[in-house]
Amino acid sequence: MKSERVQMLSIAKIRICNPRSRDKIKFAIITASIGRVGLKRPVLVTEREPDAEGTLYDLVCGQGRIEALTSLGHATVPAIIIDVSTEDRYLMSLIENIARPQPATTALVHEVQRLKAGGYNGNTIAQKLGLEPSYITGILHLLRKGEDRLIARVEKGTIPLK
């Protein structure tokens, strides 16, 4: 990398070159976390010539963060602007996606517990997390029944939460 600087950028000026779909549950967890504590890490972009849509930057890493901020109503994102080749952009993006630790189911369970303790009902929690109400109802049922062993097995990945 030749140079690096951080600044607030308009999300509309950033082009996502290598978009990927993401799991709704993981996205809900990311969005809830950003909504609660803010963005922990800026996105990575590289500057380029403007295109017909008016974008000035190519996203290197941070699609999920941008999508979460957008869903929360933000129009800007803190970004580290780097100067790298096209090949390096795709390589960096690939490495981030492969090396990313998968969030534990624990995060979802704790988020549901936190929202329930905050006075929200199952439907509101489902809406806030972008999940089906029946799914949240299932989690709340396990929590109410004290199914700690079952939840622990879900957290270890030996059985699915669904």
Side-chain angles (χ1 to χ4, degrees):
M1 284 183 265
K2 295 177 188 172
S3 65
E4 187 176 289
R5 61 190 190 279
V6 179
Q7 65 185 64
M8 292 300 289
L9 298 179
S10 167
I11 292 172
K13 299 286 182 187
I14 301 171
R15 177 176 67 178
I16 299 174
C17 301
N18 189 19
R20 64 183 184 88
S21 60
R22 60 188 71 264
D23 181 274
K24 281 181 72 171
I25 294 170
K26 292 175 188 172
F27 179 72
I29 293 168
I30 292 169
T31 303
S33 174
I34 290 172
R36 190 172 62 254
V37 298
L39 195 63
K40 298 175 188 172
R41 192 174 56 166
V43 299
L44 290 178
V45 298
T46 187
E47 204 165 4
R48 61 170 176 72
E49 293 296 318
D51 63 10
E53 289 81 36
T55 61
L56 300 169
Y57 304 92
D58 282 341
L59 182 69
V60 177
C61 299
Q63 178 185 345
R65 287 169 269 166
I66 284 179
E67 290 173 353
L69 284 170
T70 300
S71 76
L72 292 167
H74 294 262
T76 60
V77 61
I80 297 174
I81 301 170
I82 57 175
D83 184 13
V84 295
S85 69
T86 302
E87 294 79 18
D88 285 345
R89 288 178 216 166
Y90 286 109
L91 182 60
M92 290 171 74
S93 177
L94 179 64
I95 290 169
E96 180 180 86
N97 289 335
I98 291 172
R100 175 183 299 113
Q102 298 301 312
T105 305
T106 310
L108 175 62
V109 172
H110 289 297
E111 188 63 19
V112 170
Q113 284 177 311
R114 187 188 70 75
L115 290 168
K116 184 65 176 170
Y120 295 104
N121 66 32
N123 287 336
T124 304
I125 294 170
Q127 185 179 22
K128 285 185 171 293
L129 297 178
L131 300 170
E132 292 297 318
S134 60
Y135 188 73
I136 296 302
T137 300
I139 293 172
L140 290 171
H141 179 74
L142 291 175
L143 292 170
R144 264 193 317 278
K145 295 292 184 179
E147 294 289 350
D148 297 333
R149 289 183 300 159
L150 184 56
I151 292 171
R153 290 185 63 199
V154 168
E155 291 173 350
K156 288 180 182 178
T158 56
I159 60 170
L161 183 56
K162 297 176 184 175

